[in-house]
Amino acid sequence: MAVRRRQVRQLGGKRLLIALVIVCLAAAGLCAYLLRPRAYQTPSPAEDTSVLFSDRASADVARLLIRNGQGETYEITQRDGQAAMDGDAGFDFSASMLDDALRDAAQVYAQRVILDLKDSDSLTAADFGITDASIAVTAVYTDGAELTFHIGDLLPEETPAYYLMIAGDTRVFATDQEAHDVFSRSRMALHAVPDPAIKGDLIDAIAFAGDTPFRIERRAGDEWYLTAPFEYPLSSTAVESLLDKLENLRFAQYVAPESAGLSAYGLDAPRRVITLDIAASILTGYDDNGQAYAQTRLDAYQLTLACGADASEVIYYCLYRGDVLKASYFTAGFLLSQGYDGLLLGAPINVPTNRLTSLTLTRAGETHVYALSLHERVQANNQFETDENGNILYDVQVTRDGAPCDATQFLYAYGQMTELAVTSPLPAGYAPTGDPAMVLTLAWEDGARELAFYPYDALHWAVAVNGVALFYVDAAWADGIALP
């Protein structure tokens, strides 16, 4: 029996085209819907809840009475742009500190209202830290108006803000941290702080007296030496770091003139006294066009800084040019902690060959003297050879005991010598005995240095630099160094 199969109906071309058009229109409609401009409701700006009590210029503040919350009260008056501290006609204001106080007294506002005390039967101003001992400010303006406000405790919020009340107003407000910080300052915090403005390149010597006393000085060629408690060459890099610290020295706050007494600050018997020998210099004045118009010679002088007692865990008192000042351990702690150990030269064979005039080596009963001299390079046209900066180039010529020797071999061997690094300290009080195993003497214009190597143990030599032994080195250091 034959099975009849179902025939698949084929769409005609016209019907297929219509179907495709319908699909395309549907897709276009869907895209248009998805990509249509969406109407968002613009959020309304947050409501401004601030309250303005005074909106004046700093010049409009005629008188300012401040109680800083630490039991200190002081008064500032201003007339014709000149401010004065009541009771101290010669008070030298810090411009920035004075500007802060006048600005925040001229522009007084609150961020928002917290509550109104008249709506509460149990709360008082004291519950917000506003008492007879908290911060209080009275501003009298040039137009005769007067405003008194009080700042209390810190609000229990993530963003720092303080409680504020206005005299004659029962409302409690919130104000920003700036006003609190400005009016909690002491009277002397508004005093100008002297800037030492030390120039490191003018310092010829530094002496530290008191705890761990020592002295260093600059010699010819900008070489630094420890001169007390003994003489020893210093690392130029370490000394430059110390000079940078001195150049960046700043004081935190003015305290009092020296005439007010020193015992309260531990400065009648300071822990440490630092004396800087400042070289003579020329001070040049320049006009607006950068042209020099005057010069004044400044004689050499000594600058002294005395370090006294601690004012807190991070601040100590310092006497500078007749003023007691506060210095922070963060920026000025080195005046108390600086020792000479970290300044000592750790690579004593550091004289560059363009300065070295001779090297004398004594070893195994023999002494040889190597003399160095520089000679200009002359080209075929009899002109001196120069580098790209126009500096004349030189060749080093070396003699051994008066006879010419291989300069290249000497320079290579000397380069190996300069790698000597004395990093292991000898025991305190150690003094070498017997004859040295080797002696090197370096000489240059205006200077000389002797390095004597003494047997210390089976593997090490003690190194005495100009007779002072502080370190030891590997005895095999000189192995492989072949001078010509």
Side-chain angles (χ1 to χ4, degrees):
M1 177 175 143
V3 178
R4 180 179 292 180
R5 295 183 178 274
R6 187 176 179 181
Q7 297 295 321
V8 178
R9 188 177 180 181
Q10 298 293 327
L11 291 176
K14 184 175 182 180
R15 290 184 178 181
L16 179 60
L17 179 61
I18 293 173
L20 289 175
V21 170
I22 292 172
V23 171
C24 290
L25 289 174
L30 178 62
C31 291
Y33 173 78
L34 293 176
L35 298 177
R36 75 190 188 284
R38 302 192 181 188
Y40 292 99
Q41 184 176 359
T42 303
S44 58
E47 182 182 358
D48 184 4
T49 60
S50 63
V51 182
L52 186 65
F53 305 104
S54 174
D55 186 16
R56 294 174 168 86
S58 297
D60 294 332
V61 179
R63 186 165 65 90
L64 190 57
L65 181 64
I66 300 171
R67 183 179 70 206
N68 67 3
Q70 288 86 46
E72 183 182 23
T73 300
Y74 55 92
E75 183 177 343
I76 302 170
T77 57
Q78 183 177 219
R79 185 175 181 180
D80 298 330
Q82 298 297 316
M85 181 69 73
D86 186 52
D88 189 348
F91 192 90
D92 184 14
F93 282 99
S94 162
S96 62
M97 295 293 188
L98 177 62
D99 288 347
D100 289 346
L102 294 175
R103 180 195 63 236
D104 285 0
Q107 300 175 5
V108 183
Y109 73 97
Q111 294 174 334
R112 65 186 186 277
V113 179
I114 302 295
L115 55 83
D116 195 326
L117 291 180
K118 70 181 181 182
D119 297 331
S120 173
D121 296 331
S122 59
L123 293 175
T124 67
D127 293 313
F128 303 96
I130 296 173
T131 67
D132 292 339
S134 60
I135 295 174
V137 180
T138 297
V140 179
Y141 305 106
T142 54
D143 60 6
E146 182 175 317
L147 177 66
T148 298
F149 55 92
H150 305 261
I151 300 176
D153 291 341
L154 183 68
L155 271 71
E157 297 179 348
E158 182 177 352
T159 302
Y162 287 81
Y163 293 112
L164 170 77
M165 289 192 72
I166 304 296
D169 194 326
T170 59
R171 292 175 295 174
V172 179
F173 304 92
T175 190
D176 58 32
Q177 184 175 1
E178 180 187 326
H180 170 273
D181 293 349
V182 167
F183 294 118
S184 63
R185 292 169 180 164
S186 66
R187 172 176 174 269
M188 282 303 177
L190 274 68
H191 196 288
V193 181
D195 181 1
I198 296 170
K199 301 295 184 184
D201 57 354
L202 293 179
I203 298 176
D204 282 340
I206 309 172
F208 289 80
D211 296 343
T212 317
F214 68 95
R215 182 179 183 276
I216 66 175
E217 72 175 34
R218 188 197 304 263
R219 293 182 179 173
D222 277 346
E223 294 173 357
W224 283 87
Y225 280 81
L226 179 73
T227 59
F230 52 85
E231 184 167 311
Y232 204 87
L234 300 179
S235 163
S236 59
T237 301
V239 174
E240 283 298 326
S241 177
L242 173 58
L243 296 178
D244 287 343
K245 292 177 183 177
L246 288 167
E247 287 188 339
N248 293 316
L249 178 65
R250 299 294 183 272
F251 297 108
Q253 184 178 317
Y254 185 91
V255 178
E258 181 179 8
S259 58
L262 298 177
S263 60
Y265 311 107
L267 289 166
D268 52 341
R271 288 183 283 173
R272 217 171 194 201
V273 177
I274 299 90
T275 302
L276 310 178
D277 288 359
I278 309 296
S281 60
I282 302 295
L283 181 64
T284 303
Y286 295 89
D287 59 22
D288 294 339
N289 297 319
Q291 300 298 315
Y293 67 87
Q295 287 188 331
T296 302
R297 176 177 173 79
L298 302 178
D299 295 333
Y301 66 99
Q302 286 190 326
L303 183 64
T304 300
L305 302 103
C307 304
D310 286 339
S312 69
E313 292 183 354
V314 295
I315 297 289
Y316 68 91
Y317 295 108
C318 189
L319 181 64
Y320 170 75
R321 289 185 177 272
D323 290 320
V324 179
L325 308 164
K326 287 183 178 180
S328 75
Y329 275 96
F330 180 72
T331 58
F334 72 96
L335 295 178
L336 288 166
S337 62
Q338 182 68 57
Y340 61 76
D341 288 352
L343 302 176
L344 300 176
L345 181 63
I349 305 178
N350 69 334
V351 183
T353 53
N354 62 352
R355 293 190 62 206
L356 188 67
T357 57
S358 71
L359 181 151
T360 303
L361 171 65
T362 299
R363 188 174 186 181
E366 295 185 3
T367 298
H368 297 288
V369 179
Y370 297 85
L372 287 76
S373 57
L374 297 177
H375 297 268
E376 299 90 345
R377 293 183 184 178
V378 181
Q379 302 178 100
N381 60 1
N382 288 327
Q383 298 293 317
F384 293 133
E385 185 177 350
T386 60
D387 61 16
E388 63 274 10
N389 297 318
N391 300 310
I392 297 176
L393 298 177
Y394 294 86
D395 287 322
V396 178
Q397 294 186 3
V398 183
T399 63
R400 170 180 161 167
D401 301 331
C405 68
D406 189 334
T408 301
Q409 185 179 350
F410 174 87
L411 294 175
Y412 179 76
Y414 184 73
Q416 291 178 290
M417 290 181 174
T418 61
E419 297 176 2
L420 174 67
V422 288
T423 55
S424 302
L426 291 164
Y430 172 85
T433 58
D435 294 329
M438 183 173 73
V439 177
L440 280 174
T441 302
L442 310 176
W444 61 95
E445 186 178 359
D446 301 323
R449 182 179 304 156
E450 180 189 85
L451 283 74
F453 298 83
Y454 294 85
Y456 177 63
D457 57 29
L459 299 175
H460 299 96
W461 283 347
V463 184
V465 179
N466 292 340
V468 178
L470 300 177
F471 304 96
Y472 65 84
V473 296
D474 191 329
W477 161 74
D479 295 346
I481 297 178
L483 288 167

